[in-house]
Amino acid sequence: MSQREKEQTIALSAIFQAAELVATLAKTGQIDNDGLKPLINSILLVNADATEDIYGGQWDCQSNLALGRRITRQALGKERSSVNPDTLRYALSLIHLESKLQKSPDVLSALGQGISQLDRQKAHYEDILHENMIAAISGIYQDSLSKLSFRIQVHGDSRFLQQPTIANQVRATLLAGIRAAMLWRQLGGKRWHLIFKRKSLLNALEARN
């Protein structure tokens, strides 16, 4: 396995972590803040010295993405049937939506401008998961990615999805998933790799233990 494949598993883990968090949130109205925080932080980290730094650095990256690593291992291995079908659908949809984003310079520009403004807003709040920060990130998703022809359809309990706070969490988590999908593409990841390079990606994932 290559160093590039090891880095790709970081991006994949983040994609699957975002997808799983959205699936759970839509069904239960609950979200794991420990799993969400490193994903939201990654949105603001545009430039990093190493791929691991995007999700907390060499020592924290694995624990920060533990949920995503587990889901990725299941999805690529023999336990695929144990993965929530919505999680798989969201993960593939994030990769597809990000590919659409790359072909839409105006939307990409709007996304970049929104994220640059986020950094200034962050200074006003002690916690990046503050309700106002999540609402701001949700707004960026609505002003950019929601303009594309392809949209991710989130299925769950309407009692939760109709609540503004939860709807904001869903969109903010999806934006974090797009950040991860962007990283996956930048590292050379392709959708077909999830089928034809499963074994090498699994080996790279295990090598990070």
Side-chain angles (χ1 to χ4, degrees):
M1 98 218 49
S2 66
Q3 176 62 28
R4 178 54 59 92
E5 285 172 335
K6 289 182 181 180
E7 293 181 55
Q8 286 174 352
T9 64
I10 295 175
L12 262 188
S13 296
I15 291 171
F16 275 104
Q17 184 152 309
E20 176 73 2
L21 289 176
V22 168
T24 302
L25 180 59
K27 292 278 177 62
T28 69
Q30 302 294 318
I31 196 160
D32 172 16
N33 283 336
D34 288 340
L36 178 61
K37 193 164 191 173
L39 296 183
I40 297 298
N41 274 323
S42 74
I43 296 172
L44 293 171
L45 199 57
V46 179
N47 298 305
D49 293 332
T51 300
E52 290 172 327
D53 292 344
I54 298 171
Y55 297 102
Q58 181 179 359
W59 306 113
D60 292 329
C61 182
Q62 289 197 47
S63 59
N64 284 342
L65 296 178
L67 172 63
R69 285 167 52 78
R70 176 174 64 79
I71 302 295
T72 304
R73 190 179 293 109
Q74 291 173 335
L76 295 178
K78 297 177 181 178
E79 299 177 65
R80 186 182 177 94
S81 61
S82 67
V83 179
N84 185 335
D86 282 339
T87 298
L88 287 172
R89 182 170 60 82
Y90 297 149
L92 293 175
S93 294
L94 285 166
I95 292 172
H96 184 64
L97 182 59
E98 194 277 335
S99 71
K100 294 289 187 184
L101 174 64
Q102 294 306 317
K103 298 171 185 173
S104 306
D106 291 346
V107 177
L108 198 57
S109 176
L111 180 60
Q113 289 174 10
I115 290 173
S116 66
Q117 292 171 2
L118 262 186
D119 215 23
R120 290 194 291 272
Q121 287 178 269
K122 182 185 176 185
H124 298 292
Y125 303 104
E126 290 183 8
D127 188 356
I128 194 155
L129 298 185
H130 189 283
E131 186 176 340
N132 291 350
M133 281 296 293
I134 295 298
I137 295 169
S138 171
I140 292 170
Y141 186 93
Q142 286 180 295
D143 293 341
S144 56
L145 292 153
S146 290
K147 308 293 185 186
L148 296 172
S149 57
F150 176 79
R151 295 188 180 187
I152 298 176
Q153 301 295 323
V154 175
H155 300 300
D157 191 323
S158 60
R159 292 175 302 168
F160 301 127
L161 292 174
Q162 288 172 3
Q163 294 179 29
T165 299
I166 291 178
N168 285 339
Q169 288 177 323
V170 166
R171 285 188 288 263
T173 308
L174 287 175
L175 184 57
I178 289 294
R179 167 71 174 101
M182 196 175 288
L183 179 63
W184 162 253
R185 178 186 51 78
Q186 290 168 342
L187 292 168
K190 309 285 186 186
R191 186 165 173 157
W192 60 266
H193 288 174
L194 301 178
I195 300 172
F196 297 106
K197 292 185 70 177
R198 284 189 303 173
K199 188 172 182 180
S200 58
L201 285 170
L202 270 174
N203 288 339
L205 194 64
E206 297 298 337
R208 301 195 67 82
N209 284 337

